[in-house]
Amino acid sequence: MSDCLKTNGYLLMEDLANAPGVPSAERRKQGPVAIFECIQEIPCNPCEQACDKDAVRVGSKITDRPELNAENCSGCGKCVSACPGQAVFIVDESKGDEAYVTLPYEFLPLPDKGEIVLALDRSGSVLGEARIVRSRLLDSMDRTAQVTMAVPLEWSMQARFFKRKEA
Amino acid sequence: MKRRDLIIIGAGPAGLSAAIEAAQYGLDVVVYDENALPGGQLFKQIHKFFGSKEHRARERGFRIGQQLLEEAGRAGVEVVLGAQVIGLYDGLIVQVVRGDRIERVRANAVVIATGASENMVPFPGWTLPGVIGAGAAQTMANLHGVRPGNDLLMVGCGNVGVVVAYQMLQAGCRVQAMIDASRAIGGYGVHAAKVARTGVPFFLGHTILQAEGDGKVESATIAQVDERWQPVPGTEKTFAVDTICLAVGLTPATQLSRMAGCTMVNLPGLGGLVPATAQNGATSVPGLYVAGDAGGIEEASSAMIRGRLAGLAAARRQGFADSQAAESRGQELHESLDRLRGGPFGERIRAAEELMHKALEKEAACQTA
Ligand SMILES: Cc1cc2nc3c(=O)[nH]c(=O)nc-3n(C[C@H](O)[C@H](O)[C@H](O)COP(=O)(O)OP(=O)(O)OC[C@H]3O[C@@H](n4cnc5c(N)ncnc54)[C@H](O)[C@@H]3O)c2cc1C
Ligand code: SF4
Ligand code: SF4
């Protein structure tokens, strides 16, 4: 594992390569699936509690890391809003040359559907333009909204946040 | 002098939990808090908490505070606000300021749950307006809806630093940088990551050299530190900021435990000087218990369990809790606490508990010798 999370505050692709909560490239092509970017042993398991499809498991030792059972995951996103670390994303690579990335969002106002924003990677660097496909805030989400953006396919495992363009 | 079964000092998560637990066994319980609002730190915590369902994970802190208050009300606990405890005599006589009067109340047991105070670091310019503690920043933004500043430097990358930095972003501040003298981010990676992906840079192994400005903070200069935490010349960087937020650790509030004559131990892993306590929070003074951050800096989730353990112990001591049921309740609480303290982030607490245990054994040996 790299030191990047400890020194810069973000994960590198190599840190996620063997993480138990990351779906395979094949699975991502089949449709929406959750990615658990949670690789430290912290005392936490709301993702497991939120999932009614038995697709993510932490187990009785709550410091164990979340493990994804990608076959069971429908990409419903319940775990995204439940996660207190905002560490769960939904990626869908079944949309042709675009990927849909859904992220937890706790800022107001929410972006509008169709709005063009700047996609950011885990370090906050600008990747380029993205299009907001959906903004969703249900009561059950307890104020952790879910924003879905469409990005070029090759950014599907990089784009994790966005910045709104200056008006 | 009035007499109560149990007096609790502090209405944070530890104190309220101790009160709820003890009241369930039929004790007559009063909680004093100097603040105008109950809940301690919880009322500033707008983020979702970690843990498991039994620890109220995924609830936002302020909501946990509301739930505890309602539970305390239902259990018949009396919560007295604006009541500052200024003295503790013979361990069990509580002196409390209420309005313009000072009252003395005797208790059969007392739980100190007074929390902690924030540490500060002095540097040239640290008295300029604009240098604030992370707790103050949180109070301004989350309780009063006031943005502490526009451009902010956060000093400290523990959980408090990363959580408050995110809340400042939510309040509309630009966080120009996060710094910490340590070489590694102490807070949870997931908390740091949600700050980092908004574009905030982290500078580990850096300290603040000074704050500059005419009558208020206008900029801050940081520099890298060497192995002995001395600034390395030539590595200075200056940020245009109007706010410098300090999140450099907490110190347990021990004024009352020291005044009561508790045996104290110095355990850096718990935040410095703390009263020596058994696992249920019992101090060296019979009938006097400590729970939550006042007995060692940890988390609200664990403060709630430590509070319950102290409340249970106070009930048992007075013969309120039938021992078999109380025994298994105690066991259940200890197991819940152990689940929270697992993993690498619990290492600090586990090691300090070990040292505490050794200190108590030594103390017992001295007493029998
Ligand atoms: C920014 C931040 C984020 C945090 N995030 C989390 C988190 O996500 N999860 C988590 O579990 N924990 C979190 N914590 C930690 C948590 O808030 C504390 O560990 C917890 O509040 C400690 O509880 P306590 O009851 O011991 O003390 P406190 O909550 O500090 O309560 C102490 C109370 O005692 C009162 N008091 C003190 N002295 C006196 C006196 N002499 N007379 C009368 N009353 C007195 C005070 O007014 C206060 O109300 C966070 C802390 C901070 C600062
Ligand atoms: S996206 Fe839905 S199905 Fe998949 S792990 Fe999360 S909660 Fe379970
Ligand atoms: S809820 Fe989030 S932070 Fe907690 S274990 Fe699951 S993914 Fe990690």
Side-chain angles (χ1 to χ4, degrees):
Chain A
M1 199 186 123
S2 82
D3 285 339
C4 197
L5 185 63
K6 280 283 180 192
T7 53
N8 295 312
Y10 55 88
L11 290 164
L12 299 178
M13 278 312 294
E14 60 185 271
D15 300 320
L16 289 168
N18 298 310
V22 179
S24 65
E26 296 82 74
R27 174 62 187 83
R28 298 200 302 266
K29 286 195 199 87
Q30 288 161 18
V33 64
I35 298 188
F36 296 84
E37 301 200 357
C38 172
I39 67 163
Q40 291 176 329
E41 294 168 64
I42 56 176
C44 187
N45 71 0
C47 51
E48 177 180 45
Q49 297 266 343
C51 181
D52 49 23
K53 304 219 168 46
D54 203 18
V56 53
R57 212 185 116 74
V58 175
S60 58
K61 203 170 144 224
I62 61 167
T63 46
D64 281 348
R65 304 183 298 169
E67 190 181 336
L68 172 74
N69 179 352
E71 300 320 305
N72 289 355
C73 178
S74 67
C76 71
K78 286 197 176 119
C79 52
V80 174
S81 293
C83 169
Q86 298 185 27
V88 192
F89 302 85
I90 308 284
V91 165
D92 182 354
E93 296 181 4
S94 68
K95 306 272 177 194
D97 357 321
E98 286 188 324
Y100 281 11
V101 176
T102 301
L103 51 98
Y105 193 70
E106 289 199 355
F107 293 89
L108 287 173
L110 295 179
D112 299 319
K113 185 175 172 184
E115 186 177 330
I116 302 299
V117 296
L118 295 171
L120 307 180
D121 68 10
R122 295 183 183 84
S123 75
S125 301
V126 175
L127 290 164
E129 285 186 346
R131 185 179 83 255
I132 300 297
V133 180
R134 188 169 71 165
S135 279
R136 208 159 59 123
L137 181 55
L138 308 177
D139 285 347
S140 61
M141 295 175 178
D142 187 16
R143 295 176 193 227
T144 307
Q146 294 180 18
V147 174
T148 303
M149 57 182 180
V151 298
L153 188 58
E154 61 271 26
W155 298 344
S156 88
M157 287 300 280
Q158 290 169 31
R160 288 297 176 266
F161 206 64
F162 65 88
K163 162 162 103 174
R164 303 181 82 164
K165 293 187 155 184
E166 307 296 332
Chain B
M1 206 184 312
K2 268 195 279 183
R3 197 179 182 110
R4 312 291 296 237
D5 292 334
L6 177 61
I7 295 179
I8 292 171
I9 312 168
L16 288 175
S17 302
I20 295 164
E21 186 75 19
Q24 279 166 4
Y25 299 102
L27 274 77
D28 149 51
V29 186
V30 61
V31 185
Y32 292 123
D33 199 300
E34 63 189 6
N35 218 334
L37 275 179
Q41 294 292 319
L42 286 176
F43 280 100
K44 309 179 208 168
Q45 314 303 6
I46 57 169
H47 58 289
K48 293 181 177 173
F49 276 27
F50 291 94
S52 184
K53 204 167 178 182
E54 61 177 321
H55 311 116
R56 310 190 196 222
R58 121 189 219 192
E59 281 283 358
R60 297 183 188 274
F62 72 94
R63 244 180 241 138
I64 299 178
Q66 285 161 355
Q67 290 165 2
L68 286 177
L69 264 182
E70 283 160 20
E71 258 180 83
R74 281 198 300 274
V77 171
E78 186 190 354
V79 179
V80 184
L81 300 175
Q84 186 184 33
V85 173
I86 55 167
L88 199 49
Y89 305 103
D90 297 334
L92 301 175
I93 297 176
V94 174
Q95 190 169 39
V96 56
V97 184
R98 295 180 67 174
D100 55 5
R101 296 185 41 196
I102 293 180
E103 283 176 23
R104 279 184 176 212
V105 190
R106 171 172 267 289
N108 296 331
V110 170
V111 177
I112 300 178
T114 47
S117 56
E118 284 188 282
N119 299 343
M120 290 289 129
V121 279
F123 49 85
W126 76 303
T127 56
L128 284 173
V131 181
I132 57 175
Q138 250 193 341
T139 306
M140 288 170 81
N142 303 347
L143 276 182
H144 303 297
V146 174
R147 188 163 66 215
N150 293 319
D151 293 278
L152 185 139
L153 172 74
M154 179 64 74
V155 181
C157 297
N159 268 330
V160 173
V162 286
V163 166
V164 175
Y166 188 76
Q167 293 177 354
M168 293 304 112
L169 291 167
Q170 288 176 309
C173 298
R174 289 174 293 261
V175 179
Q176 297 294 349
M178 307 277 306
I179 71 164
D180 200 305
S182 151
R183 310 257 151 203
I185 293 169
Y188 291 162
V190 288
H191 275 322
K194 64 190 200 192
V195 175
R197 65 177 174 256
T198 71
V200 175
F202 283 72
F203 296 91
L204 276 291
H206 278 72
T207 191
I208 178 156
L209 285 185
Q210 61 178 28
E212 300 101 7
D214 183 12
K216 59 180 195 301
V217 173
E218 287 165 7
S219 61
T221 302
I222 66 166
Q224 213 173 309
V225 290
D226 61 18
E227 259 66 65
R228 289 174 300 127
W229 288 30
Q230 294 306 307
V232 179
T235 62
E236 297 83 2
K237 279 189 195 66
T238 298
F239 295 93
V241 292
D242 53 27
T243 307
I244 298 170
C245 194
L246 302 178
V248 291
L250 300 162
T251 298
T254 57
Q255 295 89 337
L256 292 172
S257 48
R258 281 183 284 135
M259 181 180 231
C262 295
T263 302
M264 306 295 288
V265 278
N266 188 11
L267 295 173
L270 294 182
L273 200 65
V274 291
T277 52
Q279 279 191 315
N280 61 10
T283 67
S284 60
V285 176
L288 181 61
Y289 301 82
V290 174
D293 282 355
I297 305 303
E298 211 175 335
E299 299 248 277
S301 342
S302 43
M304 289 188 275
I305 307 175
R306 289 159 77 194
R308 287 196 174 262
L309 281 166
L312 176 65
R316 289 186 77 177
R317 183 185 140 82
Q318 297 175 54
F320 277 89
D322 154 59
S323 43
Q324 189 112 50
E327 190 77 48
S328 59
R329 173 69 176 149
Q331 192 67 29
E332 179 186 301
L333 290 168
H334 279 295
E335 282 165 16
S336 179
L337 192 54
D338 287 344
R339 280 191 281 278
L340 273 180
R341 290 174 169 175
F345 286 92
E347 175 61 31
R348 169 180 70 86
I349 295 292
R350 294 199 303 273
E353 285 278 304
E354 189 76 20
L355 290 172
M356 175 75 87
H357 198 69
K358 287 207 182 107
L360 284 174
E361 276 175 358
K362 214 162 119 196
E363 177 84 3
C366 292
Q367 274 168 11
T368 48

